[in-house]
Amino acid sequence: MRPKHLLAATLLLFVSLAPALAQQKLLTIDDIYDPARRVDFSGFPATPRWLKDGEHFLLANRGGGGGGARGRAGGGQLMKVNARTGEAVPFLDSAKMQAALAALPGMSADEARGLASQTNYQLNKDETEILLNHANDLFVYDLNTNKAARLTNNPGDEENENFSPDGRMVSFVRGNNLYVVDVATQKERQLTTDGSPKLINGRLDWVYQEELYGRGNFDGAWWSPDSTKIAFLQLDESPVPGFVVVDHIPPGQVIEDTPYPKAGDPNPVVKLGIVDAAGGDVRWVDLDSKYKPEDRLVVRVSWTPDGRRVVYEAQNRVQSWLDLNTASAQDGKSATLFRDTTKAWVEVIDPPFFLKDGTFLFQSERDGWRHIYRYSADGKLINQVTRGDWEVHSLEGVDERGGFVYFVGTEHDPIGTHVYRLKLDGSGLKRLTDTEGTHSASFNSNFTLFVDRSSDINTPTQVRLVDADGKVVRAIDENKRPALAEYKLGKVEFLRVPTRDGFQMEAMIIRPPDFDPSKKYPVMSFTYSGPHAPQVR
């Protein structure tokens, strides 16, 4: 029998060697890419969604996974979480929702169960109703009464559905025409009639969603703040050449002919319309008097807070200038507030952010760096809010009572974003995130708290609750990945490479484990970068 002291020594040696042995594992292709055996190095960090009270957010509880919510939660349940304490309760009674949906004609029990167990819903502004798109039709569920209603019953697809701001109507696109349906009565109105496979109303085509409004965003209609009107884009695809795509996966090949302009080919011709939600004739914004049809892009659309004017940004095709315009909601006549120009390229940035005093904030790269500017209602520059040899990445909002602007930018580090605040006059810049790496922010409605999602080159995304002064309130999801400690990973080094014009270009090298500088190694170079989409971060 082994002596006790020898057994203890053996156990101690094994325990001390275990971490070292675990860290000797080398990455394989299967570890990274194999569908069945790949290792979860990144996790599924929490994605809280603020509720309007500013003290709670919605979070999917994944049964002990990366959800971060505590409380009476089962797997895959949507929880209402107290932001400061982390205490959570179910956001809705899924059994009641399931029963209400199952009672609708044509809805099976399995379909109702699936819809009632989702962890992401489109809510109305009051957060009292849920909008569902299921089996080519629209449904609504009332969280207060636990009643469900079928809004549409049509064989055509309903797409791009959205609640009106007052929650009384839902807009959608069917057959490339724009519709609204009354939530209370389920009566629908067709607002446009000329939609066809080549003429699209209220929905973006491939070019506009991919290159201008953001990949996956096909929304081409915007409610006025008072819910009485809708501004929408009409895209004429007639001049756009077709591009043949062969789907080789089915036993019988499927041929798709997609409108797809290559470089130099015609783009779709765009028009901007305004229509009453009650119906009636479309008022077209007078684009033809300002821009050539074949050389114009309408790259952003929004409304003034009073709903009297549509705000739209227009560019030429090469995007060397951008006009900020407003158009009357009554007759479509428009005026240009100002034009941004450059010798190279003007980026499409967010619509104006209006303040209660009628002024607005707008982002521009006119001084060579993307910054925030403040304008009067008639487009006169009041002051430059942010400035310096760094860039604003996103304007998160304004606490008008406190007089603070909140944004994400690169003032601290060109390859790592941080959350900042400063006064509207440009003074008092303060960085609110202190750990190195890349940060993003999601603020609550009253700008007292924000959710900080951060990562660095060695740490997967972690999620924390931070107050408006930059103090960490609590960790929402630490997203610990034990598998990282089991592998012997290469060392990452950041450096700068001077270019011909003297600019210091950011670069990154990942050396193999046990790198020997006296040896030669094969080199793989990869980049898929673009403006504000760096590979080195």
Side-chain angles (χ1 to χ4, degrees), residues 200-213:
I200 309 172
N201 292 294
R203 179 173 167 81
L204 303 181
D205 75 326
W206 185 90
V207 170
Y208 265 70
Q209 66 84 30
E210 174 76 13
E211 303 295 348
L212 296 173
Y213 284 79

Side-chain angles (χ1 to χ4, degrees), residues 110-395:
D110 286 343
E111 289 174 319
R113 185 181 304 109
L115 292 172
S117 60
Q118 292 179 188
T119 54
N120 186 30
Y121 294 107
Q122 183 180 162
L123 302 173
N124 64 355
K125 188 176 180 180
D126 290 336
E127 298 169 354
T128 57
E129 290 185 323
I130 291 173
L131 180 61
L132 301 165
N133 190 324
H134 172 68
N136 298 332
D137 275 311
L138 302 179
F139 301 82
V140 68
Y141 176 71
D142 191 310
L143 292 163
N144 291 329
T145 64
N146 297 309
K147 293 181 179 180
R150 186 186 197 112
L151 298 181
T152 65
N153 193 355
N154 188 285
D157 290 347
E158 280 78 32
E159 303 173 295
N160 300 97
E161 65 278 0
N162 284 293
F163 276 113
S164 60
D166 63 10
R168 296 181 179 180
M169 290 172 283
V170 170
S171 62
F172 63 92
V173 174
R174 180 197 296 142
N176 288 334
N177 278 311
L178 185 62
Y179 291 76
V180 295
V181 58
D182 188 280
V183 173
T185 66
Q186 294 90 57
K187 291 182 178 180
E188 68 176 49
R189 288 183 294 279
Q190 185 172 345
L191 302 183
T192 67
T193 59
D194 54 357
S196 71
K198 292 290 187 180
L199 196 67
I200 309 172
N201 292 294
R203 179 173 167 81
L204 303 181
D205 75 326
W206 185 90
V207 170
Y208 265 70
Q209 66 84 30
E210 174 76 13
E211 303 295 348
L212 296 173
Y213 284 79
R215 182 174 296 176
N217 176 19
F218 287 89
D219 284 342
W222 299 268
W223 281 97
S224 63
D226 60 6
S227 301
T228 63
K229 297 175 286 294
I230 298 176
F232 68 96
L233 293 186
Q234 182 188 83
L235 297 169
D236 183 357
E237 296 272 87
S238 301
V240 181
F243 187 85
V244 176
V245 179
V246 180
D247 186 351
H248 295 274
I249 294 177
Q253 293 179 340
V254 176
I255 307 298
E256 300 176 7
D257 190 355
T258 302
Y260 182 92
K262 294 183 180 179
D265 284 339
N267 273 338
V269 176
V270 64
K271 295 172 68 175
L272 175 59
I274 306 163
V275 64
D276 293 335
D281 293 336
V282 174
R283 284 92 69 190
W284 297 104
V285 174
D286 59 343
L287 297 178
D288 287 345
S289 65
K290 301 171 69 66
Y291 312 106
K292 296 178 181 179
E294 69 276 8
D295 189 38
R296 70 182 180 214
L297 305 170
V298 178
V299 296
R300 289 293 183 271
V301 180
S302 59
W303 288 85
T304 56
D306 60 12
R308 294 180 179 179
R309 299 187 71 82
V310 174
V311 182
Y312 69 98
E313 298 170 36
Q315 289 190 283
N316 57 337
R317 178 163 177 167
V318 297
Q319 295 177 273
S320 59
W321 50 258
L322 181 148
D323 285 349
L324 181 64
N325 303 302
T326 66
S328 166
Q330 299 304 315
D331 58 18
K333 292 183 178 179
S334 65
T336 300
L337 299 183
F338 57 80
R339 170 173 286 190
D340 261 0
T341 61
T342 178
K343 294 179 180 179
W345 175 66
V346 177
E347 184 190 9
V348 181
I349 306 181
D350 298 334
F353 187 99
F354 286 93
L355 305 178
K356 292 178 180 178
D357 63 2
T359 64
F360 64 87
L361 302 180
F362 193 73
Q363 298 172 66
S364 170
E365 294 179 344
R366 64 185 55 183
D367 71 351
W369 303 89
R370 178 171 164 180
H371 282 298
I372 301 171
Y373 296 78
R374 188 179 185 184
Y375 295 87
S376 62
D378 59 358
K380 299 294 190 299
L381 179 63
I382 296 174
N383 65 288
Q384 183 173 347
V385 180
T386 63
R387 63 176 66 243
D389 292 348
W390 51 272
E391 294 201 313
V392 171
H393 271 222
S394 61
L395 171 60

Side-chain angles (χ1 to χ4, degrees), residues 318-529:
V318 297
Q319 295 177 273
S320 59
W321 50 258
L322 181 148
D323 285 349
L324 181 64
N325 303 302
T326 66
S328 166
Q330 299 304 315
D331 58 18
K333 292 183 178 179
S334 65
T336 300
L337 299 183
F338 57 80
R339 170 173 286 190
D340 261 0
T341 61
T342 178
K343 294 179 180 179
W345 175 66
V346 177
E347 184 190 9
V348 181
I349 306 181
D350 298 334
F353 187 99
F354 286 93
L355 305 178
K356 292 178 180 178
D357 63 2
T359 64
F360 64 87
L361 302 180
F362 193 73
Q363 298 172 66
S364 170
E365 294 179 344
R366 64 185 55 183
D367 71 351
W369 303 89
R370 178 171 164 180
H371 282 298
I372 301 171
Y373 296 78
R374 188 179 185 184
Y375 295 87
S376 62
D378 59 358
K380 299 294 190 299
L381 179 63
I382 296 174
N383 65 288
Q384 183 173 347
V385 180
T386 63
R387 63 176 66 243
D389 292 348
W390 51 272
E391 294 201 313
V392 171
H393 271 222
S394 61
L395 171 60
E396 298 299 324
V398 179
D399 173 13
E400 295 197 55
R401 185 170 56 181
F404 288 113
V405 179
Y406 292 90
F407 67 94
V408 173
T410 61
E411 181 270 344
H412 175 71
D413 184 355
I415 61 173
T417 55
H418 284 265
V419 186
Y420 298 84
R421 79 175 186 196
L422 81 171
K423 290 285 189 177
L424 278 165
D425 63 6
S427 65
L429 179 67
K430 179 177 181 180
R431 180 161 59 99
L432 303 179
T433 47
D434 57 7
T435 57
E436 298 299 325
T438 297
H439 295 258
S440 64
S442 173
F443 279 84
N444 64 355
S445 56
N446 51 17
F447 292 95
T448 56
L449 298 167
F450 68 92
V451 173
D452 170 34
R453 291 169 60 86
S454 65
S455 63
D456 61 40
I457 200 65
N458 297 307
T459 311
T461 300
Q462 299 183 336
V463 187
R464 297 178 177 85
L465 183 71
V466 183
D467 69 18
D469 291 321
K471 179 182 178 182
V472 175
V473 178
R474 71 179 183 93
I476 296 173
D477 187 359
E478 293 182 308
N479 191 28
K480 294 180 179 179
R481 299 289 101 196
L484 285 169
E486 299 174 8
Y487 286 82
K488 194 171 188 179
L489 302 175
K491 181 182 178 182
V492 180
E493 178 186 353
F494 291 107
L495 63 154
R496 290 179 175 176
V497 179
T499 60
R500 285 173 294 181
D501 61 1
F503 181 79
Q504 296 291 319
M505 186 168 62
E506 303 291 341
M508 179 174 69
I509 294 178
I510 306 176
R511 292 184 171 85
D514 297 323
F515 176 75
D516 183 347
S518 67
K519 294 182 179 179
K520 289 187 176 182
Y521 293 85
V523 174
M524 183 182 75
S525 176
F526 170 78
T527 184
Y528 187 56
S529 304

Side-chain angles (χ1 to χ4, degrees), residues 2 20 30 214 481:
R2 184 177 297 177
D30 288 345
R481 299 289 101 196

